[in-house]
Amino acid sequence: MVMSRAEVDQLQPDALPLLETYRNGEHSALLAEVDQRSRSGPLPPDVLGLAAASLVALERYEEAATAAREAAGRAPRKAWLYHVLSRAELGRGDRTRALEAAEAACRLLPGHPDYLATLAACRRENGDAAAAAATARQALLSAPDHPGALNQLGLALAASGDEAAALEQFTRAMEAAPQEPEAYLNAAALHRKAGRVPEARRVLKDALRHIPGLLEAEEQLAGTVGSSPLVHGLLRHLIHLSRLTMTGWLIVAFIYYLFFRLLEFLWKYFPVLLPVSRVLLLVAAAWLLGGALCGRLLRLALRRG
């Protein structure tokens, strides 16, 4: 959650429709609406904060941090604005500022499990795994099945070297929120780091059963095939090719057309290049279309293998 129920009740009325848009995951639509409103004058802090939250969701962390910082500066008693700011700063890699913002959110609204989970993440990223574990456990006192806190506790325990306890927390997080990917990916990464490839595959396949379109799980599965980085890179490329949308294929077709026109220009002045150019065009077409087909077959094989 981006904010507590009490904070929702304190939102300005004109921000409530934006909150609903955020909850529906329509982040681009929210940002378009905010941009439209900005033409009429300065934006209220609540509107700026929701825009920052959507920017975080879209991984546009620099913009998110700027918007959240301005919103928090204009409404310094709103804990959720500092929570958004901490996530933005963490995303952009400023661990110190992220920790400061997370601590401010928890001071303003003590005991909120979402804010404590973010604070645990900030403390772990700052190298204090013991404090991160303690903070995550504090969050679990009021919300025993909070998936974010369970994940953060697992990551903190893993950073402390207690893999068995970490995996236990990741399993609890999977059971609490089967549709959220973080616990599956964390558990699989821990298994892979320890060389337990079959266990990693099992967790990743379980993730894909619950979240069929999870790209990160498919990429991690590709990383369990052999030990060559070159092979892993090739398999990930095939997976990405097979997942291209219609827009993606239109972009590829346009680039292919530009490539053809470039070769056409070369043929005009260097006819000797014609046979080679034809081979290049055929190879490029075969790679794109064949690669997409191979990628689909690869994804099927990884899920079933």
Side-chain angles (χ1 to χ4, degrees), residues 2-121:
V2 70
M3 66 186 76
S4 68
R5 291 183 180 275
E7 289 174 308
V8 171
D9 294 337
Q10 295 171 7
L11 276 183
Q12 297 170 332
D14 61 344
L16 290 173
L18 293 176
L19 177 61
E20 190 63 28
T21 304
Y22 175 86
R23 286 173 169 171
N24 292 335
E26 300 170 2
H27 302 298
S28 296
L30 186 151
L31 293 174
E33 174 64 22
V34 170
D35 182 61
Q36 185 68 28
R37 293 190 188 189
S38 69
R39 298 173 187 174
S40 303
L43 295 169
D46 288 344
V47 172
L48 262 179
L50 287 169
S54 280
L55 287 167
V56 169
L58 295 173
E59 299 184 359
R60 293 163 57 179
Y61 298 117
E62 288 287 348
E63 298 167 81
T66 300
R69 204 175 295 121
E70 181 181 346
R74 291 166 52 190
R77 302 302 302 170
K78 290 180 178 282
W80 73 274
L81 295 176
Y82 289 98
H83 178 226
V84 173
L85 177 58
S86 67
R87 290 167 58 193
E89 295 288 10
L90 200 58
R92 65 188 287 269
D94 194 329
R95 299 173 182 176
T96 302
R97 286 188 175 182
L99 180 58
E100 290 172 355
E103 288 174 339
C106 291
R107 280 196 304 271
L108 290 167
L109 191 63
H112 192 285
D114 288 337
Y115 300 176
L116 286 169
T118 300
L119 177 58

Side-chain angles (χ1 to χ4, degrees), residues 109-117 134-147 149 172:
L109 191 63
H112 192 285
D114 288 337
Y115 300 176
L116 286 169
T135 304
R137 288 192 174 98
Q138 184 183 350
L140 292 170
L141 290 176
S142 59
D145 294 325
H146 191 281
R172 288 180 60 195

Side-chain angles (χ1 to χ4, degrees), residues 5-274:
R5 291 183 180 275
E7 289 174 308
V8 171
D9 294 337
Q10 295 171 7
L11 276 183
Q12 297 170 332
D14 61 344
L16 290 173
L18 293 176
L19 177 61
E20 190 63 28
T21 304
Y22 175 86
R23 286 173 169 171
N24 292 335
E26 300 170 2
H27 302 298
S28 296
L30 186 151
L31 293 174
E33 174 64 22
V34 170
D35 182 61
Q36 185 68 28
R37 293 190 188 189
S38 69
R39 298 173 187 174
S40 303
L43 295 169
D46 288 344
V47 172
L48 262 179
L50 287 169
S54 280
L55 287 167
V56 169
L58 295 173
E59 299 184 359
R60 293 163 57 179
Y61 298 117
E62 288 287 348
E63 298 167 81
T66 300
R69 204 175 295 121
E70 181 181 346
R74 291 166 52 190
R77 302 302 302 170
K78 290 180 178 282
W80 73 274
L81 295 176
Y82 289 98
H83 178 226
V84 173
L85 177 58
S86 67
R87 290 167 58 193
E89 295 288 10
L90 200 58
R92 65 188 287 269
D94 194 329
R95 299 173 182 176
T96 302
R97 286 188 175 182
L99 180 58
E100 290 172 355
E103 288 174 339
C106 291
R107 280 196 304 271
L108 290 167
L109 191 63
H112 192 285
D114 288 337
Y115 300 176
L116 286 169
T118 300
L119 177 58
C122 293
R123 285 177 169 167
R124 177 177 51 80
E125 288 290 338
N126 277 276
D128 196 343
T135 304
R137 288 192 174 98
Q138 184 183 350
L140 292 170
L141 290 176
S142 59
D145 294 325
H146 191 281
L150 289 168
N151 270 302
Q152 290 305 323
L153 179 55
L155 289 169
L157 291 170
S160 301
D162 194 344
E163 289 190 5
L167 289 170
E168 181 183 349
Q169 301 307 318
F170 293 146
T171 300
R172 288 180 60 195
M174 294 175 208
E175 293 169 350
Q179 303 300 320
E180 294 188 15
E182 187 178 359
Y184 299 102
L185 299 176
N186 289 337
L190 193 56
H191 282 307
R192 288 181 62 198
K193 183 179 179 181
R196 298 186 293 267
V197 174
E199 288 84 350
R201 287 177 178 166
R202 176 184 55 78
V203 172
L204 293 168
K205 290 175 187 176
D206 197 25
L208 289 168
R209 278 194 293 272
H210 288 95
I211 318 165
L214 186 58
L215 173 61
E216 293 88 344
E218 291 184 343
E219 288 183 327
Q220 282 203 34
L221 271 174
T224 65
V225 179
S227 58
S228 168
L230 181 62
V231 171
H232 297 162
L234 173 62
L235 295 181
R236 284 194 294 269
H237 176 70
L238 292 174
I239 288 170
H240 281 271
L241 261 183
S242 71
R243 293 173 64 98
L244 280 178
T245 61
M246 181 60 70
T247 301
W249 279 112
L250 287 173
I251 294 171
V252 168
F254 178 68
I255 294 173
Y256 188 80
Y257 169 75
L258 292 178
F259 181 46
F260 172 78
R261 293 307 300 265
L262 173 62
L263 292 177
E264 191 177 45
F265 173 79
L266 292 176
W267 297 337
K268 183 177 179 180
Y269 296 98
F270 306 98
V272 70
L273 295 176
L274 180 58

